[in-house]
Amino acid sequence: ASTLVMKTYTQGSSDEAVAVEGIMSKVAEVAGNRFLTLLPGMENKGAQVLSLEMIDVIEKLCFGGYNVSETVQCLQEVIGSLEKGTLVLSAQHEIQIVRLVICVAASIQEEEINESVVIVKAFLRCCKLIPKLLKKVVRTKGEEEELTMLLEMLLGYTANLWERKDCFSDDAISSSSSIVDSLIVSCLKYGMMDTSAFASSSVFGGCLKIIRLILSQSSEDMFATEGTIRPGQVHAMASSHSAFDLAVSKKEELSTRLKSSPISRSDGESQFCEGLSQQQELIRLLLCCVSLDASHVKISTDAWGSVLSAYDASTSVTDGLLRRLLFLYDANKCCENEILLCDYQWGAMCKKHSLRMSADESAPPFDEQQSWEWFLDSLNHDRIRSTLTQFPIADTLVPVAESDVESEFRNASNENDQMDTGMDDMSESSSFGVGDDSDGNNSSAASLDEPKEVTPTSKIHSTTDIWRGTGEDPRYSPGFILPLVLGSLEANFPKERGAGKESQGADEMELDKDDDDDDDESEEDLAQHQAFSVIARRLCDRGCISLAIASLSSRCPSVRKVAVAICGLFLRALQMKESHEMKSWRERPQQEMIMASLQRGLTVRRAMQIKKLSEAGDRVELGSTSVSKQRFNVTMLPALSAVFLAKALMIMSRPSDDMYGAMNKYFLRLNDYHGAFQDCFGLPAFLSLYCSSSDDLTRCRTERNWALLTLKDSTVDEFCYRIISQHHVPELIMSSFDSLCDQVGGKSELSLTIDVIQCLIQSGGSRSATHLIKRLGLLSWLHGVISWRSISTVLPFATLKCKFLQLISTAVTSYCDEYSNSDSLDGDQSILLEKVPLADAVIQICLDGSDASSNESHTVLAAACGTLWTIHVADKKEGLAMQRVGLTSLAQMTNLLTKCVENDELFAQALISMSALPYSVSGDEQDGHTPQLFCELALTFMLEERVRLCRGDTITILKRVYDLMSIFSKLREDTELVTTIMQCRHIAASIRDGVQVWDSFIPFLT
């Protein structure tokens, strides 16, 4: 009966809907009432009566508007019987009942139907059922996958019901507070347990997430209810949990189930726990508690040390959450004692006994100079280099809150604080630095607009800041490291004579390079000056000064201010008499040359801006408040020049570096304004190095590779790409690519050039997509550059092939993203005109037999199938799908399919992509063996259903098989092939319009 109702309801076409409306209404009424009658009385029959198929029927009927009020009444009776114990169901069937409640609540359109009671009852039933399932999952250690999936579904349904809490009555909320509290305690108890013995911890992350959702979406009236657990109590229970240290520091790979393949489709149900991390969800829960109830949150010394030891000072998502948590602890004074800047000993260097948490007045005086040794030991030079390879320009001095984690009131107050800081710089950032450069610098861009400053309303974690390298994100967070660098310099800054222990402010410093020797200078002052020189040099050797210079490209004004303060103190150390007397500091003159050039360059830029403001006297007065504020602002450099200066300082610190001579020559040639660095908004030294005129071929290659590498590392946003495009760098690189293809020894530069082009596409956003693809014809260039060359000569290595394939995929994705946005405005869909030649190029690269090992061949095959799938998805129209004349032969397509038979995912990608491509037929293929093999592979794959295919993919494959059978008459005489086609009819019948496609085979089956 249920099958009949489902078929009648789902398979009726739109044309038949009117004719069968009367019959459908009667069937729905009879079947629905019968099913609802069976639901309450299941003490004896149990699961035999309550079949999952019957639940599906009721859901369909409710969505169709049938039996809604009757279903609501019946569900109230069923849940009431479950609560009283007169009805006992399995967990699976109870979850299906909850699912039916959600379905009914979503389908109700009549105001007279009140579903609030049944929603409240279903929610409370979930609160009681979750702890039971949690205990079972813990006892089985997650080995029963079905049980774990049931718990995940239940958590998702509970969150769905809680989102409808607006329809909960006050009496229902007050009476159910104990049930909700029990759920919170149980989820917190098991959600933080050690999951090392479990295959995945996503379900435990879901337990912590459901607690956060309940707390964040609860009103103050609910917390005011006597006996209700407050966020501060939840924080106390979490921080005192026996597994807190392990849970907050355990790093794990996120689950990728149902997301690994673009072919796989989910069944449409909510995947509440999908991809959750126990560590991240615990941190988010702590953040939520602090933001909601900061006055009642207290953290012990041990808990502070646990959080700080888990922090790695990086820009990863986890470290971003931890940094925000540390900030809230400090800002709300949640710690037992005051936390100083030097107490932020993160990671492995965190030592709980070194924290100044003791209130003992008899403790020895605090030695500021000795307290910063840990910071120098913690710094990793390689990580600073990684930070310069893709500088995080969106990192802020004050960690940014996640909107769905912290309360709205807390976010609003923080946004106001950050807005006050950012608005002071807004006027300066829009004018200073990238104005008209006709006054002096010919190498800078003529007229550019800086990107917007980071404000609370902007998207902080921009896509350009996402780590593009391999593995975990190793980059340091400039907003966290720079204050520590500044603190270490200020702690060792020499005291002013006669001022006792009061330190001299940074704003009172003056350059005293030519100060006369003071015979009366005390030994203490001399030791302080020497210590300051030593700490400045050590910080420079660690790369901290380079990091500060690169931070001049940060979008956060406060980060740039700290960076300039560090540069000023370092320049002061370089110009001190004690530094001149240090014979071991041999690189000091070159470092001073770069820092002085940067200082003069920023001063010149500022002077130009003040001159422009003074000339516009009728509009802006120099004595106004806005202009006085601008005097304290720091211009935002593009990462192109900031990263160049940072790398140049590293090079000049090592005379043995291959680029030492070129960098030294570049800065020595700066004559204007006493050597000021004026190429702040251009491409410093790129053209001269990339087009090197050195007589030494090895040096030419070194300089070209360094120029390309620096360009790749410093291109991080559209602002950088605008400067690059105005200097015609993309055209220059694409032109030189042709010559590199024919050079036997130029494959390393060829590989680097591919990386540069891909970086330009990824970082340039819509500007690079428009310029590279629309104006320069990148897609045509990609397949044209190898169309007439031998693949084994141009791309002899598997790594080169994979990089080139990835470049094609990136370019096609950029095209798809850019033109999908424009299409939504214009109303027309674009056609990927380069689909056929690009796909042919990908297939030719994959079928090239120059790969040395089977592992390399499989790597290239996976990259090729992924690229084919990207091209297939990007083509929105199928106008070219059934063309019979193409660039790729049918034999080549079949050959590629045979290579993928051992991997279902790759086979599905290749089969679907090539079924939508036009093909060519050679004379050798007229015998029908090749098309027969293609059809057998395709139809067998469909029958076995090893990968779930969507409706459009199935129809595309069937159309390709029909196309081949209509061309090759011998295929119609193949009895096995005809039998296979007949067996595929049930697959075609299960999808919309599938029967019509399969019916086209009928003339071939007679």
Side-chain angles (χ1 to χ4, degrees):
S2 61
T3 304
L4 176 62
V5 174
M6 291 294 289
K7 287 185 176 181
T8 307
Y9 181 80
T10 60
Q11 294 186 2
S13 63
S14 58
D15 298 334
E16 303 169 347
V18 178
V20 302
E21 181 65 26
I23 300 176
M24 182 62 208
S25 301
K26 188 62 177 178
V27 170
E29 182 180 357
V30 173
N33 289 331
R34 178 56 180 163
F35 289 156
L36 293 175
T37 304
L38 294 175
L39 282 180
M42 292 182 295
E43 300 88 351
N44 300 325
K45 297 183 179 180
Q48 285 77 12
V49 177
L50 183 62
S51 64
L52 301 181
E53 198 170 281
M54 188 175 69
I55 296 291
D56 293 337
V57 173
I58 300 177
E59 288 183 4
K60 292 291 184 181
L61 294 177
C62 290
F63 274 123
Y66 302 103
N67 304 93
V68 177
S69 59
E70 295 86 349
T71 304
V72 172
Q73 181 65 30
C74 178
L75 288 174
Q76 292 183 16
E77 297 178 7
V78 171
I79 298 177
S81 301
L82 290 173
E83 291 294 331
K84 296 177 183 178
T86 58
L87 178 63
V88 179
L89 297 177
S90 64
Q92 182 180 10
H93 289 97
E94 285 202 47
I95 292 174
Q96 292 300 322
I97 292 292
V98 174
R99 175 183 169 182
L100 184 56
V101 172
I102 297 175
C103 171
V104 171
S107 60
I108 289 180
Q109 298 178 354
E110 303 177 11
E111 297 182 357
E112 59 270 15
I113 300 177
N114 185 7
E115 77 282 8
S116 60
V117 177
V118 69
I119 291 178
V120 172
K121 288 185 176 181
F123 173 74
L124 297 179
R125 188 61 190 170
C126 291
C127 293
K128 295 180 179 180
L129 190 58
I130 288 176
K132 298 179 181 178
L133 283 181
L134 260 175
K135 293 179 181 178
K136 293 181 180 179
V137 171
V138 171
R139 282 199 300 265
T140 60
K141 296 188 180 298
E143 295 179 356
E144 296 185 10
E145 185 176 355
E146 182 179 357
L147 190 62
T148 304
M149 294 188 65
L150 286 177
L151 180 57
E152 291 180 359
M153 292 175 59
L154 183 60
L155 289 171
Y157 294 154
T158 306
N160 189 304
L161 292 171
W162 181 249
E163 291 176 356
R164 308 174 188 271
K165 68 182 185 308
D166 295 337
C167 63
F168 291 8
S169 63
D170 296 337
D171 295 338
I173 294 177
S174 59
S175 61
S176 61
S177 59
S178 59
I179 300 177
V180 178
D181 290 347
S182 300
L183 171 68
I184 292 176
V185 172
S186 179
C187 288
L188 191 63
K189 174 184 177 181
Y190 293 107
M192 292 183 59
M193 65 177 299
D194 183 8
T195 59
S196 57
F198 292 80
S200 175
S201 65
S202 60
V203 67
F204 299 100
C207 294
L208 299 175
K209 182 178 179 180
I210 198 67
I211 300 176
R212 173 169 59 85
L213 293 180
I214 293 176
L215 294 178
S216 61
Q217 298 178 12
S218 298
S219 61
E220 288 294 333
D221 296 337
M222 294 182 62
F223 293 143
T225 304
E226 185 178 357
T228 302
I229 297 180
R230 297 186 58 87
Q233 295 174 295
V234 174
H235 185 281
M237 289 187 292
S239 60
S240 59
H241 196 282
S242 59
F244 177 75
D245 292 351
L246 180 63
V248 80
S249 61
K250 181 181 179 182
K251 296 183 183 297
E252 57 186 345
E253 296 183 1
L254 299 183
S255 174
T256 58
R257 180 162 49 91
L258 294 178
K259 293 184 179 180
S260 60
S261 171
I263 306 298
S264 300
R265 267 79 172 182
S266 63
D267 54 4
E269 295 182 353
S270 174
Q271 299 294 333
F272 181 77
C273 301
E274 185 63 37
L276 294 184
S277 166
Q278 183 188 35
Q279 180 192 27
Q280 292 184 9
E281 290 306 319
L282 173 59
I283 301 170
R284 289 189 174 99
L285 176 60
L286 298 176
L287 284 169
C288 179
C289 294
V290 177
S291 64
L292 290 172
D293 198 13
S295 59
H296 295 87
V297 171
K298 298 298 179 183
I299 183 172
S300 63
T301 304
D302 293 340
W304 168 269
S306 298
V307 175
L308 196 57
S309 62
Y311 183 58
D312 198 28
S314 73
T315 55
S316 63
V317 176
T318 302
D319 281 348
L321 295 172
L322 284 170
R323 185 181 168 218
R324 177 67 183 177
L325 183 60
L326 293 170
F327 169 77
L328 290 183
Y329 283 154
D330 194 4
N332 295 288
K333 303 186 183 303
C334 299
C335 302
E336 295 177 350
N337 297 95
E338 182 182 4
I339 300 294
L340 300 181
L341 186 62
C342 58
D343 292 327
Y344 283 87
Q345 303 182 24
W346 75 88
M349 295 300 297
C350 178
K351 299 178 180 179
K352 301 174 183 178
H353 65 272
S354 65
L355 300 178
R356 294 179 62 252
M357 299 280 188
S358 176
D360 186 6
E361 297 181 357
S362 61
F366 186 65
D367 190 349
E368 292 183 342
Q369 294 183 0
Q370 294 296 330
S371 66
W372 290 99
E373 284 295 325
W374 67 266
F375 178 61
L376 293 170
D377 296 336
S378 300
L379 292 172
N380 189 326
H381 195 270
D382 293 335
R383 288 188 62 183
I384 290 184
R385 286 185 173 274
S386 299
T387 308
L388 297 181
T389 58
Q390 188 190 341
F391 188 81
I393 57 176
D395 193 58
T396 56
L397 194 66
V398 175
V400 181
E402 289 188 0
S403 58
D404 61 337
V405 173
E406 301 184 31
S407 65
E408 296 180 0
F409 174 78
R410 172 68 60 181
N411 285 339
S413 61
N414 287 341
E415 287 179 3
N416 292 333
D417 295 341
Q418 294 185 24
M419 186 66 73
D420 294 339
T421 305
M423 288 302 293
D424 294 342
D425 293 350
M426 195 61 63
S427 58
E428 181 272 338
S429 65
S430 62
S431 56
F432 182 84
V434 280
D436 190 3
D437 278 342
S438 58
D439 295 82
N441 187 12
N442 296 327
S443 59
S444 298
S447 59
L448 302 173
D449 294 328
E450 285 189 355
K452 295 181 179 180
E453 300 278 358
V454 167
T455 62
T457 57
S458 64
K459 186 177 181 181
I460 302 301
H461 300 288
S462 58
T463 55
T464 57
D465 267 358
I466 299 177
W467 175 241
R468 296 192 298 263
T470 57
E472 297 183 357
D473 188 355
R475 296 174 297 171
Y476 278 126
S477 170
F480 177 79
I481 295 295
L482 292 187
L484 296 176
V485 177
L486 182 60
S488 62
L489 286 172
E490 290 183 340
N492 291 272
F493 189 78
K495 308 296 188 300
E496 200 176 280
R497 263 176 286 140
K501 294 186 178 181
E502 296 181 359
S503 62
Q504 181 184 11
D507 56 344
E508 299 175 358
M509 294 186 304
E510 297 179 357
L511 301 182
D512 57 349
K513 182 178 180 180
D514 299 326
D515 287 350
D516 297 333
D517 295 335
D518 189 358
D519 297 336
D520 299 331
E521 187 178 40
S522 64
E523 295 182 359
E524 182 180 357
D525 292 337
L526 178 61
Q528 290 180 358
H529 283 73
Q530 291 177 347
F532 181 63
S533 299
V534 171
I535 191 69
R537 181 186 180 185
R538 293 180 64 186
L539 288 172
C540 182
D541 293 340
R542 291 286 186 177
C544 294
I545 309 302
S546 296
L547 183 64
I549 295 176
S551 299
L552 294 175
S553 63
S554 174
R555 293 183 182 177
C556 178
S558 300
V559 171
R560 298 200 303 272
K561 291 178 182 178
V562 175
V564 164
I566 293 172
C567 293
L569 288 174
F570 182 65
L571 181 59
R572 174 62 184 266
L574 290 170
Q575 296 174 337
M576 288 173 53
K577 178 185 65 175
E578 289 76 12
S579 300
H580 284 255
E581 296 175 352
M582 292 178 61
K583 296 182 180 180
S584 60
W585 200 352
R586 298 179 181 178
E587 63 275 11
R588 186 204 57 79
Q590 281 69 30
Q591 294 174 348
E592 181 182 353
M593 176 178 62
I594 294 179
M595 299 304 298
S597 178
L598 173 60
Q599 181 200 44
R600 297 186 180 107
L602 295 177
T603 304
V604 169
R605 301 293 304 184
R606 193 61 180 151
M608 289 181 180
Q609 183 60 26
I610 293 177
K611 181 180 179 181
K612 292 179 182 179
L613 293 175
S614 63
E615 293 175 352
D618 55 336
R619 291 175 293 173
V620 181
E621 296 180 2
L622 286 177
S624 64
T625 305
S626 60
V627 176
S628 63
K629 287 184 178 181
Q630 291 181 20
R631 297 179 184 276
F632 300 98
N633 295 328
V634 181
T635 184
M636 179 169 59
L637 301 180
L640 293 170
S641 55
V643 173
F644 168 80
L645 290 169
K647 286 192 171 187
L649 182 64
M650 285 186 170
I651 291 174
M652 299 300 284
S653 301
R654 297 190 311 277
S656 60
D657 195 284
D658 294 336
M659 292 297 299
Y660 181 86
M663 288 295 101
N664 195 30
K665 186 187 298 184
Y666 173 82
F667 285 96
L668 288 175
R669 287 179 176 177
L670 300 178
N671 297 322
D672 296 340
Y673 301 102
H674 305 283
F677 178 77
Q678 298 187 69
D679 208 3
C680 295
F681 295 90
L683 283 174
F686 175 79
L687 294 178
S688 61
L689 293 176
Y690 189 71
C691 304
S692 177
S693 59
S694 176
D695 297 334
D696 189 355
L697 182 60
T698 302
R699 177 162 295 279
C700 281
R701 289 182 176 176
T702 301
E703 293 179 355
R704 284 171 60 89
N705 289 338
W706 189 88
L708 287 173
L709 184 61
T710 303
L711 180 67
K712 179 181 75 72
D713 295 344
S714 59
T715 305
V716 295
D717 58 359
E718 291 190 37
F719 185 35
C720 295
Y721 186 82
R722 178 182 293 186
I723 299 175
I724 292 171
S725 61
Q726 289 187 353
H727 286 78
H728 306 286
V729 173
E731 296 94 319
L732 179 62
I733 293 177
M734 292 169 64
S735 300
S736 64
F737 190 90
D738 289 334
S739 61
L740 294 174
C741 291
D742 300 327
Q743 293 182 10
V744 179
K747 300 308 176 184
S748 59
E749 185 176 343
L750 182 68
S751 175
L752 185 56
T753 304
I754 295 175
D755 293 338
V756 170
I757 298 176
Q758 179 161 331
C759 179
L760 294 179
I761 299 174
Q762 292 176 333
S763 302
S766 60
R767 181 174 298 275
S768 65
T770 303
H771 182 255
L772 284 173
I773 298 176
K774 186 175 180 179
R775 296 185 58 184
L776 301 184
L778 179 64
L779 295 179
S780 301
W781 177 80
L782 284 173
H783 65 79
V785 75
I786 62 172
S787 59
W788 56 277
R789 290 185 171 95
S790 172
I791 302 296
S792 58
T793 302
V794 180
L795 306 172
F797 310 115
T799 53
L800 275 178
K801 292 179 180 178
C802 292
K803 281 189 175 183
F804 194 81
L805 292 172
Q806 182 62 37
L807 176 59
I808 295 177
S809 180
T810 303
V812 172
T813 302
S814 177
Y815 166 86
C816 184
D817 295 341
E818 174 64 18
Y819 286 92
S820 62
N821 297 333
S822 60
D823 293 341
S824 61
L825 299 177
D826 299 338
D828 297 328
Q829 288 185 333
S830 61
I831 299 178
L832 182 59
L833 298 177
E834 305 296 333
K835 173 181 179 178
V836 175
L838 280 175
D840 179 70
V842 172
I843 294 174
Q844 301 303 327
I845 293 175
C846 181
L847 296 180
D848 179 67
S850 60
D851 300 327
S853 63
S854 58
N855 292 334
E856 292 180 350
S857 300
H858 184 269
T859 303
V860 175
L861 179 63
C865 292
T867 306
L868 284 175
W869 177 257
T870 302
I871 296 173
H872 170 72
V873 173
D875 188 25
K876 296 181 180 179
K877 288 188 176 180
E878 299 182 358
L880 302 176
M882 293 298 109
Q883 293 182 9
R884 296 180 179 178
V885 179
L887 299 177
T888 308
S889 66
L890 185 61
Q892 291 173 333
M893 293 183 178
T894 307
N895 188 12
L896 180 59
L897 281 181
T898 56
K899 290 179 176 291
C900 303
V901 292
E902 296 181 358
N903 190 304
D904 295 338
E905 181 180 338
L906 298 183
F907 189 91
Q909 291 176 336
L911 176 61
I912 299 171
S913 303
M914 291 189 297
S915 294
L917 285 175
Y919 59 91
S920 62
V921 180
S922 61
D924 299 337
E925 299 169 357
Q926 295 295 334
D927 57 354
H929 174 71
T930 299
Q932 179 187 10
L933 180 58
F934 186 96
C935 294
E936 289 178 353
L937 291 173
L939 296 175
T940 304
F941 183 78
M942 289 178 56
L943 282 175
E944 295 178 356
E945 297 182 352
R946 290 173 291 182
V947 173
R948 185 184 305 166
L949 302 178
C950 71
R951 166 189 167 273
D953 299 339
T954 303
I955 291 179
T956 299
I957 297 173
L958 289 176
K959 286 183 177 181
R960 173 47 52 91
V961 175
Y962 169 78
D963 186 54
L964 293 175
M965 293 191 69
S966 63
I967 297 176
F968 300 95
S969 58
K970 293 185 178 181
L971 297 181
R972 310 167 200 169
E973 303 173 359
D974 191 336
T975 306
E976 295 182 359
L977 182 60
V978 171
T979 304
T980 306
I981 293 175
M982 296 181 65
Q983 293 174 353
C984 292
R985 190 184 187 284
H986 74 280
I987 298 178
S990 63
I991 60 176
R992 184 166 53 89
D993 299 332
V995 176
Q996 290 84 340
V997 176
W998 189 91
D999 288 344
S1000 60
F1001 288 95
I1002 293 178
F1004 303 148
L1005 305 181
T1006 57

